[in-house]
Amino acid sequence: MTTAPLAERLDGLLFFPVTPFAPDGTVDLGLFRAHVHAGIEAGAAAVFACCGTGEFHALTPEEFHACVAAAVEESAGRVPVLAGAGYGTALAVRYARLAEEAGADGLLAMPPYLVVADQAGLLRHYTELAAATSLDVIVYQRDNAILTPETAVALARTDGIIGLKDGLGDLDLMQRIISAVRSEGLDLLYFNGLPTAELTGLAYRGIGVTLYSSAVFCFAPDIALAFHRALAAGDDPTVERLIDGFYRPLVELRAKGRGYAVSLVKAAVRMGGLDVGEVRPPLSEPAPEHLKELATIIERGRALLGGAQRGGGA
């Protein structure tokens, strides 16, 4: 149930930093610290370290622990730090305990590795993970981990599980989950966790889901924050202007390559002046023509911000 202070602190734009790699392929903790520090200074409400954008799948347990600890040190209590935990139950528990040891405030429970489990198996997986540490858990619904409303209710009754992040995009299912949990007198935090969540922000706002993760914040916090402010204020003209001129083109570019939800973000961070290196295999770098398109989209997004600051309407 939602009783822990963490649930009250997750109110604002959620930052999912990339994990920098040095030219020799090792994790560059100095650059990671700089990236996290810059995000917090820019206005992030929370840091989700070593999750999807942070290439959780490609990190060793030792690298994971070092990155989470670095994020915790950089935050210094200013904002909560959450970490990914995934694979099978035993490994998810191991990552959870490493995150707790590193000082994290909570966990984002990634989908189990490869297998397509039934609802009883998913429920057991997440309840065992929640019981394994004192950290609060947000369950990430996507791919092979899709919940029924009944399972969501059971999770809402589980000590330590405070939220559900939706990476599926089925608003009918999300509305039924929210209704079922509410009808039982229970509560969860709900997050829009689609790869570029801003594009669907208006739709999720319509069912009461206002929290979302922003990959754009990694490389263009000014654009991400302007959008977040406009969405929260009901400033639909600004929201629509940024969707039409920046977010929709970005999503259309993302669809042109496998793994672009991560590799494009990392490339954009490099374009901003922080050399965070390339993605690790099995992901690949974006094609050169797509990098040029990405630079143009970012430039256009900032031009739209300039128009808004001069008082221009939609």
Side-chain angles (χ1 to χ4, degrees):
M1 292 181 289
T2 309
T3 57
L6 176 61
E8 301 169 6
R9 299 175 68 195
L10 294 173
D11 183 18
L13 203 54
L14 310 178
F15 174 33
F16 285 64
V18 302
T19 301
F21 300 124
D24 64 359
T26 59
V27 171
D28 190 324
L29 283 178
L31 281 178
F32 181 72
R33 288 176 181 275
H35 184 41
V36 170
H37 179 82
I40 294 172
E41 290 295 311
V47 176
F48 283 69
C50 305
C51 295
T53 308
E55 297 180 78
F56 169 79
H57 67 277
L59 300 176
T60 67
E62 294 77 17
E63 291 170 332
F64 170 88
H65 182 273
C67 285
V68 176
V72 169
E73 290 175 7
E74 286 301 322
S75 171
R78 289 178 290 169
V79 300
V81 174
L82 295 89
Y87 303 115
T89 306
L91 272 178
V93 166
R94 181 181 179 192
Y95 278 97
R97 288 173 175 162
L98 286 171
E100 184 172 24
E101 182 182 290
D105 299 285
L107 301 170
L108 178 64
M110 314 290 277
Y113 171 73
L114 192 60
V115 297
V116 179
D118 62 14
Q119 294 297 298
L122 289 172
L123 181 59
R124 182 180 176 190
H125 173 75
Y126 294 121
T127 53
E128 289 189 10
L129 176 60
T133 79
S134 64
L135 299 182
D136 287 330
V137 177
I138 297 165
V139 174
Y140 195 179
Q141 169 171 269
R142 58 175 293 173
D143 301 321
N144 60 327
I146 308 303
L147 308 177
T148 64
E150 294 76 17
T151 301
V153 167
L155 291 175
R157 288 196 173 105
T158 302
D159 287 340
I161 294 181
I162 67 166
L164 175 64
K165 180 183 178 184
D166 180 49
L168 177 64
D170 183 339
L171 291 182
D172 175 90
L173 174 59
M174 278 301 294
Q175 181 65 85
R176 288 187 289 116
I177 285 173
I178 293 168
S179 175
V181 171
R182 183 174 60 230
S183 295
E184 292 297 319
L186 302 168
D187 192 20
L188 285 173
L189 293 176
Y190 299 101
F191 304 79
N192 174 359
L194 292 174
T196 305
E198 288 92 341
L199 190 69
T200 52
L202 287 169
Y204 275 85
R205 189 181 72 180
I207 63 169
V209 178
T210 58
L211 293 169
Y212 63 88
S213 52
S214 176
V216 169
F217 186 86
C218 285
F219 61 87
D222 50 346
I223 299 174
L225 287 165
F227 183 91
H228 185 266
R229 286 192 296 267
L231 187 64
D235 179 4
D236 289 352
T238 297
V239 168
E240 291 166 0
R241 180 172 59 249
L242 288 170
I243 286 175
D244 295 347
F246 175 75
Y247 285 104
R248 178 175 56 82
L250 180 64
V251 168
E252 290 171 349
L253 175 60
R254 192 192 71 217
K256 293 181 180 180
R258 294 279 189 178
Y260 274 18
V262 177
S263 61
L264 276 179
V265 173
K266 209 162 193 181
V269 175
R270 293 197 301 269
M271 288 177 183
L274 192 65
D275 188 4
V276 292
E278 298 184 350
V279 291
R280 277 182 174 172
L283 296 181
S284 298
E285 286 297 298
E289 63 270 23
H290 293 159
L291 293 177
K292 292 179 182 178
E293 190 174 346
L294 175 62
T296 299
I297 291 170
I298 296 171
E299 182 179 0
R300 186 186 308 135
R302 293 214 160 98
L304 289 170
L305 290 191
Q309 291 163 0
R310 289 191 298 269

